[in-house]
Amino acid sequence: EKRFITPEGAGTKDGKSWENAWSYSNLRGKISNNTSNGGVKLNYHMLFVAEGTVTIPALIEFMGGTKFKIYGGFPSGLTGQDISARDITKYSTVFDGGGAQRLFNCTNAGNEIQFDGLSFNKSYQNGGDENQYTGCCLLMNQGAYTFINCKFENNNKAVGGAILRVGGYDEKFAANSAKVRFDRCVFANNKVASKGQIAVGFGGNLAVKDCDFTNNNVSGSNDARIVYTIYKGSGYASPVTITDEGGNTFADGQKLKN
């Protein structure tokens, strides 16, 4: 099924056409394949989101094995189910944390989500043990996630993962840990005090292809890696997989991994 989303919504707001679009508020709070958790039911849909900025007032949690594909880059004023006018270079669909919080939690092993043509901006997390390595913009312990033609800009984290954390910070997450793939994405002007723009924990599986990394600041003296591998537990043999699929560009002497 298809669902269409505009900033304010329209018509009956059943989401089945641009004239009856959901509003951005449908992309907030708890999102899952059922409503038992009091959240928004969303599963097996293709979501088409018109240009604009989705300001995130509170953390979005994808729960309960959510499965969908979400596409940004559509102009306003479309009718019916027309998606032919999509242009991600002209029409930006932005998730914005307002410099105050993380955008998404994705912690269910059954999640299968594809993000295409979206921007993720201005997420923030401070320090403290409870926030280390948790991922500023995205926390992805479990599930499978693909990012295509997305932008990550101006995200700011104290320690470990200005963009995201892949996999668990503890051995208990290793068996069903997250798989994340970036394809043709841009990472620019993100800041972290130390230990990498992307933190990969127990069981994490990360692949990166044809991505551009520009002006991403890691101020700690220990590394210029984009990816930092974290370990915690009695054994330090974390089955982490990090794959550079080629075509990636880096500025300021940075590199994907050691």
Side-chain angles (χ1 to χ4, degrees):
E1 292 187 62
K2 298 177 180 179
R3 292 293 183 267
F4 299 84
I5 305 174
T6 61
E8 302 299 326
T12 63
K13 295 188 178 181
D14 63 10
K16 295 182 179 180
S17 66
W18 292 113
E19 292 95 337
N20 296 298
W22 281 350
S23 72
Y24 280 178
S25 63
N26 287 88
L27 296 174
R28 294 175 181 170
K30 296 178 179 180
I31 298 175
S32 76
N33 60 355
N34 60 69
T35 56
S36 61
N37 55 29
V40 176
K41 182 177 181 180
L42 179 64
N43 207 22
Y44 298 105
H45 288 315
M46 298 175 68
L47 306 180
F48 303 98
V49 189
E51 62 179 326
T53 297
V54 186
T55 302
I56 308 299
L59 181 70
I60 295 176
E61 298 183 76
F62 294 109
M63 310 170 67
T66 308
K67 296 177 174 66
F68 67 89
K69 297 179 180 180
I70 178 168
Y71 300 89
F74 298 93
S76 58
L78 295 177
T79 59
Q81 294 190 345
D82 179 23
I83 57 174
S84 63
R86 186 186 190 219
D87 187 336
I88 61 174
T89 64
K90 292 175 62 176
Y91 310 113
S92 297
T93 304
V94 180
F95 289 90
D96 192 312
Q101 63 180 28
R102 182 189 300 136
L103 301 180
F104 299 145
N105 267 6
C106 305
T107 58
N108 190 282
N111 287 347
E112 295 177 14
I113 304 174
Q114 176 177 304
F115 303 87
D116 191 317
L118 304 167
S119 293
F120 303 88
N121 293 3
K122 298 180 182 177
S123 61
Y124 172 79
Q125 269 204 318
N126 61 10
D129 290 343
E130 73 280 5
N131 287 329
Q132 288 196 45
Y133 312 113
T134 52
C136 177
C137 186
L138 312 164
L139 170 60
M140 296 179 163
N141 281 344
Q142 298 175 304
Y145 310 92
T146 301
F147 296 86
I148 302 171
N149 290 315
C150 290
K151 293 182 178 180
F152 299 84
E153 298 178 300
N154 300 303
N155 299 290
N156 190 347
K157 180 76 167 67
V159 179
I163 307 302
L164 80 143
R165 188 187 80 202
V166 182
Y169 186 37
D170 194 285
E171 292 168 307
K172 67 183 179 180
F173 291 107
N176 296 301
S177 200
K179 296 181 180 180
V180 178
R181 187 172 191 272
F182 294 105
D183 187 348
R184 290 162 284 161
C185 293
V186 173
F187 303 82
N189 304 308
N190 302 291
K191 297 180 181 180
V192 64
S194 64
K195 301 190 172 82
Q197 298 289 327
I198 299 172
V200 181
F202 278 96
N205 188 313
L206 173 70
V208 184
K209 184 178 188 295
D210 293 330
C211 292
D212 180 74
F213 296 83
T214 302
N215 197 34
N216 297 289
N217 183 276
V218 182
S219 59
S221 60
N222 59 338
D223 66 278
R225 288 173 288 178
I226 296 296
V227 175
Y228 185 88
T229 304
I230 57 174
Y231 307 105
K232 178 178 180 291
S234 57
Y236 282 67
S238 175
V240 168
T241 303
I242 302 169
T243 306
D244 184 340
E245 296 187 354
N248 301 303
T249 58
F250 303 91
D252 309 316
Q254 290 188 326
K255 52 192 173 182
L256 187 65
K257 58 180 180 176
N258 280 348

